[in-house]
Amino acid sequence: MAIPPTNPNHPLVESPDPIRTARLSRLLLITFLGSMGTAVVTNGIAFIADQGLGYSGRQNLVLGLVIGATYIPAAFFSGPLMRRLLDASPRITTRRVLLAIMLILSIVAQGPLLADKFTPSLTEASLWFMGLVFMASTGVQWPIIESYLSGGRRSKDLRSAIGKFNIVWSSSIVLVYWMMAPLLESNPFLIVSILGGLHIVIATIIAKLPDEPAKHIEDEHSEPHPPVYIPLLKVFRMMLIASYIILSVMIPLMPSIETRLGLAEFWWTPVASTWLTVRVLFFILFERWHGWHGRWSTPWIGMMCMILGFASAMIAPLIGTPNEAGLNLVGVLVLIGGLSLAGIGIAATYYGALYYAMSVGNADVDAGGKHEALIGVGYTVGPICGLLGGYLNRNDTAAGWGVILVTSIVVLTMVLLAASSALKHSTSRTR
């Protein structure tokens, strides 16, 4: 999920009618339901591929690499694409584009289940096709929804809306992980089919939105942001990409790691949802408590939590021994602890990047499509790190020291370069 665009020049934010602000409750419902479908592809497809196709950790990383790379051009060109569509005909509106996306997603999500029932030889191809279409559509879908969210709102109203938005979409993903559990072993492709059908419900809600998002409102009465916010924003934006690198390594390897720990399939997604649950709790904390604003300690603590949590999750199968039932309870506890730490770091990173982007709020740092394309870079670089680390470790990438080493080096290098660049442009002291 990307940071909502606040750039007044963004084509998705412009509207001929600045008064028709979309109802927040309606947008949050769309966000909750839409995030469930998105979560299946970005967070759950590795579990579905493992159970439905027998994929290994390496195969899941390749799948993540390909669909992640699809996100980059879709997100980067979402703005120009929308501009061309809206200019092509007065009958084309932003709302109708959203409705078309919902229809497409509801159709392609039925492919894996239908193929598995009637033409099993096409099941794998249909899952890949579904993933590619979902990721490409997501690159266009979420900037539009987020523009409805930010359009017509400013200052405290905007920040309150964004805070609720974060809590809603992140808690929706936790729910999906628990809902997947009963079907994962018996009928994994039915999960995609059900959530695909959910997009028809979403379409009925989208039909009640205004034709176009309201214009972004500049708050002339707000106080200028502290100078330290600019270098902090630079660091947090690079950390945001780094967090997606970690996630796109960690998530595809979860089925392999949990298998080695002896966990029953029913508990795969609930245990894996630990970091998601912790992220929701810390989103609530960061919305309520503002003591972290302007402090350099926040990004560094967040980064250390991400790396330590990621490393702990990867090496969990190497700690402890299985009991008579084949369950490595100590390893499971290490995995849960690692995922919890990672969730804290990821929550701090996302919310920090969001807060400073909203506070600085200029065109140089807040380009919706470009920002989402950078997240796509994280989706792509992560699996590459996992594959390279697995090659160095020669153990099918699961819980390998090579994976930890390569990923950590890439992440730390990105953040240290960002910090160096930021500090060169600011000598501001933290509060």
Side-chain angles (χ1 to χ4, degrees):
M1 199 75 64
I3 294 175
T6 57
N7 176 10
N9 297 320
H10 195 290
L12 300 181
V13 180
E14 293 297 330
S15 168
D17 183 1
I19 299 176
R20 298 192 65 194
T21 302
R23 187 180 300 175
L24 180 60
S25 59
R26 189 170 291 156
L27 289 171
L28 293 179
L29 181 56
I30 292 171
T31 298
F32 183 82
L33 297 176
S35 295
M36 296 178 74
T38 302
V40 170
V41 176
T42 57
N43 295 285
I45 197 169
F47 296 95
I48 295 171
D50 182 281
Q51 286 295 294
L53 300 173
Y55 268 26
S56 65
R58 179 173 286 110
Q59 288 173 305
N60 271 327
L61 284 169
V62 173
L63 175 61
L65 169 62
V66 174
I67 65 175
T70 306
Y71 191 84
I72 300 174
F76 189 80
F77 293 108
S78 62
L81 173 63
M82 283 301 303
R83 185 163 49 246
R84 290 195 176 190
L85 287 174
L86 296 177
D87 289 344
S89 169
R91 295 177 62 85
I92 299 177
T93 65
T94 300
R95 180 181 62 183
R96 288 180 177 175
V97 171
L98 260 184
L99 288 171
I101 291 174
M102 295 302 106
L103 178 61
I104 292 170
L105 295 181
S106 66
I107 293 173
V108 299
Q110 309 310 315
L113 180 64
L114 293 175
D116 186 54
K117 296 295 183 183
F118 301 108
T119 53
S121 61
L122 297 178
T123 304
E124 183 176 19
S126 66
L127 185 68
W128 278 71
F129 179 73
M130 182 276 298
L132 291 170
V133 173
F134 253 86
M135 287 299 285
S137 300
T138 297
V140 179
Q141 168 191 340
W142 287 111
I144 296 176
I145 293 175
E146 290 160 350
S147 68
Y148 274 105
L149 187 75
S150 62
R153 295 182 172 87
R154 66 180 181 182
S155 190
K156 293 182 178 178
D157 288 339
L158 176 59
R159 297 188 185 193
S160 175
I162 298 303
K164 293 174 182 176
F165 172 79
N166 282 339
I167 294 169
V168 165
W169 71 254
S170 58
S171 46
S172 172
I173 298 175
V174 178
L175 180 62
V176 167
Y177 264 56
W178 282 87
M179 291 175 62
M180 287 173 63
L183 291 173
L184 197 57
E185 185 177 6
S186 59
N187 200 341
F189 301 121
L190 182 59
I191 298 170
V192 182
S193 180
I194 292 173
L195 291 175
L198 193 62
H199 285 77
I200 299 297
V201 179
I202 301 172
T204 64
I205 307 170
I206 290 175
K208 298 179 181 179
L209 292 177
D211 284 342
E212 302 294 335
K215 286 184 178 179
H216 174 71
I217 299 176
E218 296 291 347
D219 191 353
E220 298 178 355
H221 304 290
S222 61
E223 296 182 2
H225 59 79
V228 73
Y229 278 25
I230 295 177
L232 277 169
L233 175 59
K234 291 181 179 180
V235 172
F236 267 110
R237 286 177 74 90
M238 293 302 292
M239 280 183 59
L240 187 65
I241 302 173
S243 71
Y244 277 87
I245 291 175
I246 285 177
L247 284 177
S248 55
V249 173
M250 188 169 68
I251 293 173
L253 295 180
M254 275 297 103
S256 298
I257 291 171
E258 290 175 316
T259 298
R260 295 183 65 188
L261 288 170
L263 271 175
E265 286 84 351
F266 179 85
W267 291 106
W268 281 8
T269 51
V271 169
S273 71
T274 301
W275 75 270
L276 296 164
T277 305
V278 171
R279 181 175 66 177
V280 173
L281 296 176
F282 273 78
F283 273 172
I284 296 172
L285 173 65
F286 292 140
E287 183 195 24
R288 300 290 179 181
W289 174 64
H290 301 157
W292 57 272
H293 293 177
R295 296 187 182 276
W296 279 103
S297 58
T298 306
W300 300 126
I301 292 174
M303 176 53 60
M304 292 307 299
C305 285
M306 278 199 297
I307 293 179
L308 289 176
F310 166 73
S312 298
M314 292 296 102
I315 65 173
L318 306 178
I319 299 176
T321 56
N323 59 21
E324 294 179 358
L327 177 65
N328 182 349
L329 184 58
V330 174
V332 171
L333 293 176
V334 171
L335 174 62
I336 292 174
L339 292 174
S340 299
L341 271 178
I344 294 172
I346 290 166
T349 298
Y350 185 94
Y351 215 107
L354 170 66
Y355 173 78
Y356 293 117
M358 284 170 41
S359 299
V360 173
N362 57 46
D364 291 334
V365 298
D366 194 19
K370 181 179 179 181
H371 173 79
E372 293 196 22
L374 291 176
I375 290 179
V377 172
Y379 277 134
T380 306
V381 174
I384 292 175
C385 292
L387 290 167
L388 178 58
Y391 174 77
L392 295 176
N393 205 68
R394 300 289 203 280
N395 72 340
D396 196 33
T397 71
W401 290 105
V403 177
I404 299 169
L405 178 63
V406 172
T407 306
S408 299
I409 289 175
V410 170
V411 168
L412 278 173
T413 300
M414 289 178 59
V415 176
L416 290 175
L417 287 175
S420 176
S421 173
L423 290 173
K424 286 180 181 178
H425 290 84
S426 175
T427 57
S428 302
R429 295 181 179 178
T430 58
R431 291 187 291 179

